[in-house]
């Protein structure tokens, strides 16, 4: 006889590290895009005209467009991920009801593959499944925690704010600095900004900090060079 199993939904819990990291990731990517897209427009327009107001309006328009575009993109992406996770959980809920033994075997196999003996794995699986069948299965199969989903609204808001904040650096440098240092000042502002986003992205993703920073700087310089060339053709 199969023992009573717990498959009810858990109460609201604090955000996990993965959830917080996802929001921070969206923020870092949004900031980087904000910097590069705004400076691209600024360089193209500034080469074609010296009118500060025209340059400012072009840069501000692109900043707003980039911020809302990043926000909507993150919302759609994370919402899709959340829907997929929920569908997987509902599938496992039904499988526990209709094919409990197979689910129990999957949990036992999970521990066997990690060096636990078959006998001990069977005991662990049985105990965990009796305590929280659904939570155990989705953790083993999908590395998910019940009740913990990536928030599309958090990701969208993070991207919106960070993209707008990132775009402010080149916009302020190009429109507020004296004409004599306008170009080198903007290049310096962008270089430092993308170096910072490269540093943060590497830290969040456990990547190589130096590589990420250098890569971002190179991309930033190429972006500025391309848009400067576009401005010359206008």
């Amino acid at each position: 006889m199969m023992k009573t199993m717990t498959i009810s939904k858990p109460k609201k819990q604090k955000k996990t590290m993965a959830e917080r990291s996802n929001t921070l990731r969206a923020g870092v990517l949004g900031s980087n895009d904000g910097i590069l897209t705004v400076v691209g427009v600024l360089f193209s327009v500034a080469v074609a005209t010296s009118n500060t107001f025209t340059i400012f309006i072009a840069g501000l328009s692109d900043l707003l467009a980039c911020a809302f575009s990043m926000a909507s993109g993150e919302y759609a992406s994370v919402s899709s991920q959340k829907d997929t996770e929920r569908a997987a959980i509902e599938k496992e809920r039904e499988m526990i009801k209709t094919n409990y033994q197979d689910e129990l075997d999957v949990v036992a196999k999970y521990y066997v593959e990690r060096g636990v003996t078959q006998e001990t794995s069977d005991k662990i699986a049985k105990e965990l499944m009796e305590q929280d069948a659904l939570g155990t299965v989705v953790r083993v199969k999908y590395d998910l925690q019940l009740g913990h989903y990536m928030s599309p609204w958090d990701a969208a808001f993070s991207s919106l704010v960070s993209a707008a904040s990132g775009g402010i650096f080149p916009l302020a440098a190009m429109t507020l600095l004296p004409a004599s240092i306008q170009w080198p000042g903007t290049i310096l502002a962008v270089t430092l900004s993308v170096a910072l986003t490269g540093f943060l992205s590497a830290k969040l993703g456990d990547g190589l900090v130096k590589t990420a920073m250098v890569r971002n700087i190179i991309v930033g310089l190429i972006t500025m060079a391309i848009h400067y060339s576009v401005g010359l053709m206008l």
Side-chain angles (χ1 to χ4, degrees), residues 27-42 55-56 58-67 70 159-176 186 189-190 193-194 197:
V28 171
L29 293 177
S31 181
N32 199 64
D33 276 12
I35 294 166
L36 296 180
T37 56
V38 171
V39 77
V41 169
L42 288 172
I55 297 171
F56 174 77
L60 179 62
S61 298
D62 185 70
L63 183 152
L64 294 174
C66 174
M70 286 293 298
S159 290
L160 177 70
V161 173
S162 59
S165 301
I168 287 175
F169 290 101
L171 180 62
M174 181 62 76
T175 57
L176 298 180
T186 302
V190 170
S193 299
V194 294
T197 58

Side-chain angles (χ1 to χ4, degrees), residues 32 58 69 71 140 161 170 178 203:
N32 199 64
S69 174
V140 167
V161 173
K203 285 294 184 181

Side-chain angles (χ1 to χ4, degrees), residues 6-212:
T6 303
I7 58 175
S8 58
K9 294 182 180 179
K11 295 180 180 179
K12 183 69 175 179
Q13 303 175 24
K14 292 182 179 179
K15 290 184 178 181
T16 62
M17 180 62 72
E19 290 173 295
R20 291 194 292 270
S21 295
N22 183 68
T23 301
L24 291 172
R25 175 200 59 79
V28 171
L29 293 177
S31 181
N32 199 64
D33 276 12
I35 294 166
L36 296 180
T37 56
V38 171
V39 77
V41 169
L42 288 172
F43 269 40
S44 295
V45 176
V47 173
T49 178
S50 59
N51 187 293
T52 303
F53 183 72
T54 300
I55 297 171
F56 174 77
I57 291 300
L60 179 62
S61 298
D62 185 70
L63 183 152
L64 294 174
C66 174
F68 283 102
S69 174
M70 286 293 298
S72 61
E74 279 293 333
Y75 180 83
S77 175
V78 177
S79 292
S80 177
Q81 178 183 345
K82 186 176 179 179
D83 291 342
T84 300
E85 291 174 355
R86 282 180 166 172
I89 289 172
E90 290 307 313
K91 175 184 176 183
E92 295 304 325
R93 192 189 301 275
E94 289 303 314
M95 289 184 67
I96 288 171
K97 294 177 181 178
T98 60
N99 209 347
Y100 184 83
Q101 186 59 49
D102 283 353
E103 297 290 82
L104 183 64
D105 291 342
V106 168
V107 176
K109 183 180 178 182
Y110 173 84
Y111 288 99
V112 169
E113 290 175 347
R114 281 152 183 77
V116 182
T117 64
Q118 183 68 58
E119 182 180 358
T120 302
S121 295
D122 290 339
K123 291 179 180 179
I124 293 173
K126 183 178 180 181
E127 183 176 343
L128 290 175
M129 290 289 282
E130 288 175 351
Q131 293 176 357
D132 182 7
L134 182 59
T136 298
V137 171
V138 298
R139 177 178 58 80
V140 167
K141 282 190 173 183
Y142 307 103
D143 194 25
L144 295 175
Q145 287 182 262
L146 289 181
H148 290 284
Y149 302 101
M150 301 302 178
S151 170
W153 287 109
D154 286 351
F157 182 74
S158 178
S159 290
L160 177 70
V161 173
S162 59
S165 301
I168 287 175
F169 290 101
L171 180 62
M174 181 62 76
T175 57
L176 298 180
L177 289 176
S180 58
I181 60 170
Q182 184 183 59
W183 287 93
T186 302
I187 293 172
L188 178 61
V190 170
T191 301
L192 293 176
S193 299
V194 294
L196 177 60
T197 58
F199 171 82
L200 293 175
S201 64
K203 285 294 184 181
L204 290 173
D206 294 324
L208 299 175
V209 172
K210 184 177 180 180
T211 300

